[in-house]
C-alpha cells in the first residue's frame, strides 16, 4: 500500500485545502482484484491521481482567486476559475471519492434501509438501478464519470459528466450531492477490460461498498 496519509474515506471537499495531498487508498493495490487489477490501481492512484494533485497545487499556487479556498469552494465556483482548476480539482475530488467507494470483491453488501427504499422508489428495483447506471456510463461519450446523486428535491438521480467534471461544480447540467461515482476513463479499465467498457461497468458492482454509499445517502438527505 502506498498510503502516506489518511485513507480516502475521511475528507469531504470542504476539508481539502491547499497544499492538496494524495490520500491513501485504505487497502492494497491488489485488494479489488480481479475486478480491478493491481497494475491498474497502482497507475490510477499513484500516477493519474498524483498528477491531478500536483497540477491542482500548481494551478492554485499562483492564482489569487483560487488561493486559500477549500476544494469544495473551488468546485462550487469553478466556472470563474482557470480551466486547470476545473480539470485537476475535479480529478482530485472524483478520485478521492472513488477510492473510498470500494472494497474487496463480495465484501460490499447491498443497499439497505433508507437507501434501498429510495433506490426502489426512484428506479423500480436495485437491478433496474444498476442497468440505468451502467447505461449512463456506457453512454458518456469519451472520458468522464457516471454518478448517483441526491438532487435538490432530495431524490436520487443518475447522471454523467464529461472529463473530470462532477455534480458539485457550478457547471454541472444536473447538480446534486454525489453518493456514488464510477470512473469511465479508459485508464480505469483498459488493462483488464480493453475496449469493453460495458463489461467493466457490470463487474464493478462487486467492489462497491454499500455501507459507505448508505452513509453518504444519510448525510446528503439529513
Ligand atoms: Fe481516473
Amino acid at each position: 500500500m502506498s498510503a502516506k496519509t489518511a485513507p480516502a474515506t475521511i475528507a469531504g471537499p470542504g476539508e481539502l485545502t491547499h497544499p492538496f495531498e494524495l490520500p491513501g487508498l485504505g487497502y492494497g493495490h491488489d485488494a479489488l482484484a480481479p475486478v480491478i487489477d493491481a497494475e491498474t490501481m497502482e497507475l490510477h492512484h499513484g500516477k493519474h491521481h498524483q498528477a491531478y494533485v500536483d497540477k491542482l497545487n500548481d494551478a492554485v499556487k499562483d492564482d489569487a482567486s483560487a488561493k486559500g479556498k477549500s476544494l469544495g469552494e473551488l468546485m462550487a465556483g469553478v466556472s470563474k476559475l482557470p480551466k486547470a482548476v476545473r480539470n485537476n480539482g475535479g480529478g482530485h475530488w472524483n478520485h478521492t471519492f472513488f477510492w473510498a467507494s470500494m472494497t474487496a470483491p463480495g465484501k460490499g453488501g447491498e443497499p439497505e434501509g433508507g437507501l434501498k427504499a429510495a433506490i426502489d422508489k426512484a428506479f423500480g428495483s436495485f437491478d433496474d438501478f444498476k442497468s440505468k447506471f451502467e447505461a449512463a456510463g456506457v453512454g458518456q461519450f469519451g472520458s468522464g464519470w457516471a454518478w448517483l446523486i441526491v438532487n435538490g428535491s432530495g431524490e436520487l438521480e443518475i447522471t454523467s459528466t464529461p472529463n473530470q467534471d462532477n455534480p458539485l461544480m457550478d457547471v454541472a447540467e444536473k447538480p446534486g450531492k454525489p453518493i456514488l461515482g464510477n470512473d469511465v476513463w479508459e485508464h480505469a479499465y483498459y488493462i483488464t477490460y480493453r475496449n469493453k467498457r460495458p463489461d467493466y461497468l457490470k463487474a464493478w458492482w462487486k467492489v462497491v461498498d454499500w455501507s459507505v454509499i448508505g452513509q453518504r445517502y444519510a448525510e446528503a438527505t439529513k
Side-chain angles (χ1 to χ4, degrees):
M1 198 166 90
S2 59
K4 287 182 296 190
T5 53
T9 34
I10 295 164
E15 298 157 51
L16 299 173
T17 50
H18 184 268
F20 298 99
E21 283 181 19
L22 183 70
L25 287 171
Y27 44 76
H29 288 133
D30 59 353
L32 308 179
V35 177
I36 303 178
D37 63 274
E39 188 184 2
T40 294
M41 288 301 292
E42 223 173 300
L43 292 168
H44 200 177
H45 178 251
K47 302 290 182 193
H48 291 279
H49 190 171
Q50 182 70 63
Y52 294 123
V53 170
D54 294 344
K55 288 177 187 168
L56 175 61
N57 282 329
D58 282 349
V60 166
K61 184 164 52 90
D62 302 320
D63 190 285
S65 58
K67 220 170 176 174
K69 289 187 174 142
S70 73
L71 187 52
E73 290 169 323
L74 293 175
M75 292 193 299
V78 84
S79 60
K80 298 181 195 70
L81 294 168
K83 195 74 184 282
V85 173
R86 175 171 172 177
N87 290 340
N88 296 295
H92 179 35
W93 190 83
N94 295 348
H95 287 88
T96 302
F97 183 80
F98 182 60
W99 311 133
S101 309
M102 298 186 287
T103 188
K107 301 279 185 206
E110 287 203 353
E112 290 175 1
L115 175 59
K116 182 187 171 357
I119 286 175
D120 290 347
K121 181 168 175 254
F123 309 110
S125 69
F126 184 42
D127 281 343
D128 287 332
F129 156 69
K130 287 194 282 189
S131 303
K132 287 170 186 163
F133 187 94
E134 287 168 34
V138 171
Q140 172 55 47
F141 181 74
S143 299
W145 290 75
W147 302 99
L148 176 63
I149 62 169
V150 175
N151 66 20
S153 312
E155 286 158 357
L156 290 178
E157 209 173 338
I158 290 168
T159 183
S160 66
T161 55
N163 306 314
Q164 295 296 353
D165 286 359
N166 67 47
L168 295 169
M169 291 180 173
D170 64 351
V171 292
E173 262 175 50
K174 275 193 196 178
K177 293 178 188 164
I179 62 168
L180 179 70
N182 195 1
D183 187 341
V184 299
W185 284 59
E186 283 185 347
H187 68 223
Y189 61 84
Y190 207 83
I191 292 173
T192 294
Y193 299 90
R194 297 300 172 190
N195 59 324
K196 299 189 182 83
R197 189 191 286 184
D199 292 2
Y200 159 67
L201 280 153
K202 203 170 277 301
W204 184 68
W205 299 117
K206 297 193 192 98
V207 294
V208 173
D209 189 342
W210 286 102
S211 63
V212 171
I213 316 311
Q215 285 165 29
R216 288 174 180 163
Y217 176 73
E219 191 68 31
T221 51
K222 85 179 173 199

